[in-house]
Amino acid sequence: MTTPGAGAPAVPAELPRPARPSGLVPPERLPAVRRRITAVLAVNQVIGGLGVATGIALSAVLAQEVSGTEALSGLAATAMVVGTALLSVPLAALMTARGRRPGLMLGYLLAAVGGGTVVLASAIGSFPLLLAGLALFGAASSANLQSRYAAADLAEPDRRARAISTVVWAATVGSVIGPNISAPAGRSVAGLGIPVSAGPFLWASVLFLVCAALLAVLLRPDPLLTARALASGSAPARAAEAEMVADAEVVKGGRRSPWAATGRSMRAGTKAIRVSPGARLALATIAVCHTAMVSIMSMTPVALSHHGAGIELIGLVISGHIAGMYALSPVMGWLADRFGRLTVIGLAVALLSLAALLAGTAGAGHGRTAAGLFLLGLGWSAGMVSGSALLTDSVPQEARAAAQGVSDLTMNTAAAIGSVVAGVVVAHAGYGWLNLVGAALVLPLGALAIRRRPTAADH
């Protein structure tokens, strides 16, 4: 191991190798670079979100067709969520080692392979292969989630939440348009011998390849590597620190081990979160808000149908929910930057609790359910934006990508478990009780936010 310069701080050996800073962006160019990086990420989010939403819309239908039974159709969504969760950490490890661009590109390339695998599985009628393809398809969701952190890499601390919210907002376009073009996308490939339900996945794969190409060409300079260069440029000790981390990389058989790097990244990210009270609160906020939202949202169509709602009405309610999730995220970003992360976490708790109250007591009142679902989306947006900003604020620069990967792994795993539990709760106790459980899940966050003394990282 190379000996670091005198006075260099100790660095955990488990951190994967970061790319060496290649130079600083001149101060006069930094605002323009920030704007261009955010614009590229936003455009990419529109395309990537369109691909994800287009594929997801008919995934359950395709799973039913391939498996031959409705009982297994729910495994389609489960496979994608599990894939998103499991792939978030290795993608974060690659970003820690080489920057945002290669990590995001790999996510979209894996998703493109996953989409192709889904098409192949549907053509030959293999359900296990279909689930494997759907799991890889989940890499696109992981890349979309990581894009919000890429927007924060170069943002000024007092504008970090707004940078995150801009990229989150960009997902609105794809999330709303995607399900509406799934049917035409399926019919467009009917002449190729591809099942109609698999057609959207072929188009989604093309969109993911466009995302990867866009990032390869336009995401320059790499935001994470540039942020590191800016952090180390004024302190030689930090350059020595980066060199020390580089020399700590585990080598197996003369070659770098990506699995060792992934393990070290997860340990480093977990440690960075564990030692920071702000990061722990941020992780709890992201995981709890996402789990409550997914659990209630996933069972709302079932509850609506039990009270006589048709497919069109259910679609309108879910569209309103999605609008609540994304359309006002810039407002949440401004609030988090202006009034502090803790204030907006408190707002998220209030919105989610009110949403659970409205939806859980709506009964046959479809308008009340729709209002509850819209507020559920708003609460998710407030929690996601403020929690993501607080997490970025609360961990050191060299551990941010690793901690962000652990955060995405945690939130998606918790949501996958929550969606399963939600079905059990509704089946045995009812939709009202599910909303009560959701409110009980988020209310402790409010107490934690109130008890935590605000620091510079919270503003």
Side-chain angles (χ1 to χ4, degrees):
M1 179 182 294
T2 304
T3 302
V11 179
E14 67 266 20
L15 279 170
R17 177 179 183 175
R20 193 172 304 174
S22 58
L24 298 176
V25 174
E28 65 274 11
R29 286 189 54 216
L30 193 54
V33 169
R34 287 190 184 112
R35 289 192 297 270
R36 186 165 60 80
I37 292 297
T38 301
V40 170
L41 291 169
V43 171
N44 199 74
Q45 189 83 332
V46 170
I47 300 171
L50 184 62
V52 170
T54 301
I56 285 177
L58 293 179
S59 60
V61 175
L62 182 60
Q64 179 180 345
E65 291 176 355
V66 174
S67 66
T69 173
E70 186 177 350
L72 297 179
S73 61
L75 290 180
T78 302
M80 283 188 282
V81 172
V82 170
T84 300
L86 294 181
L87 290 168
S88 59
V89 173
L91 291 180
L94 179 58
M95 292 179 206
T96 300
R98 292 290 179 261
R100 297 289 185 190
R101 186 171 59 252
L104 294 175
M105 287 174 57
L106 179 60
Y108 289 118
L109 290 174
L110 287 175
V113 172
T117 303
V118 167
V119 173
L120 175 62
S122 65
I124 65 176
S126 172
F127 189 64
L129 185 62
L130 176 70
L131 294 181
L134 290 171
L136 281 177
F137 192 83
S141 294
S142 184
N144 284 350
L145 288 169
Q146 288 286 332
S147 293
R148 75 190 192 277
Y149 289 123
D153 287 333
L154 290 177
E156 296 168 303
D158 62 349
R159 298 186 63 86
R160 193 168 279 154
R162 273 169 280 190
I164 291 171
S165 66
T166 298
V167 174
V168 173
W169 173 83
T172 308
V173 178
S175 298
V176 172
I177 296 177
N180 295 304
I181 65 172
S182 292
R187 291 193 296 269
S188 70
V189 299
L192 302 177
I194 298 174
V196 171
S197 298
F201 287 92
L202 181 61
W203 281 106
S205 294
V206 174
L207 291 173
F208 295 150
L209 292 175
V210 171
C211 286
L214 181 68
L215 293 170
V217 175
L218 297 181
L219 195 64
R220 298 175 183 274
D222 188 286
L224 181 59
L225 300 187
T226 303
R228 284 182 183 155
L230 290 169
S232 65
S234 59
R238 291 187 64 85
E241 176 184 336
E243 189 71 27
M244 180 178 179
V245 176
D247 289 337
E249 185 169 17
V250 175
V251 176
K252 291 184 178 181
R255 287 189 281 183
R256 300 185 183 101
S257 168
W259 302 112
T262 297
R264 292 198 310 282
S265 177
M266 188 168 183
R267 288 193 299 271
T270 302
K271 181 178 180 180
I273 293 172
R274 188 175 64 247
V275 301
S276 169
R280 294 199 300 270
L281 176 59
L283 178 65
T285 298
I286 293 169
V288 168
C289 290
H290 190 63
T291 301
M293 183 277 291
V294 170
S295 300
I296 294 173
M297 180 272 293
S298 64
M299 298 309 299
T300 297
V302 176
L304 286 170
S305 65
H306 286 168
H307 290 286
I311 295 176
E312 293 81 5
L313 179 57
I314 292 174
L316 286 175
V317 171
I318 297 302
S319 294
H321 168 69
I322 293 173
M325 289 175 64
Y326 298 117
L328 295 181
S329 58
V331 176
M332 300 303 176
W334 179 83
L335 291 173
D337 284 335
R338 176 66 178 83
F339 298 103
R341 319 311 192 207
L342 300 183
T343 301
V344 181
I345 290 174
L347 176 61
V349 171
L351 288 170
L352 290 170
S353 299
L354 180 57
L357 175 64
L358 288 174
T361 59
H366 300 325
R368 189 166 179 167
T369 301
L373 265 288
F374 178 74
L375 291 178
L376 186 72
L378 279 184
W380 177 88
S381 180
M384 184 64 61
V385 170
S386 59
S388 299
L390 181 59
L391 179 65
T392 304
D393 295 339
S394 302
V395 296
Q397 172 63 247
E398 62 272 12
R400 279 179 184 166
Q404 291 157 355
V406 170
S407 171
D408 284 350
L409 170 65
T410 303
M411 68 175 255
N412 282 294
T413 301
I417 295 172
S419 61
V420 173
V421 173
V424 176
V425 171
V426 170
H428 290 85
Y431 182 67
W433 279 97
L434 172 63
N435 281 272
L436 180 61
V437 171
L441 190 64
V442 301
L443 283 173
L445 278 179
L448 291 175
I450 291 171
R451 289 179 56 189
R452 174 167 166 74
R453 187 185 301 274
T455 65
D458 302 321
H459 294 280

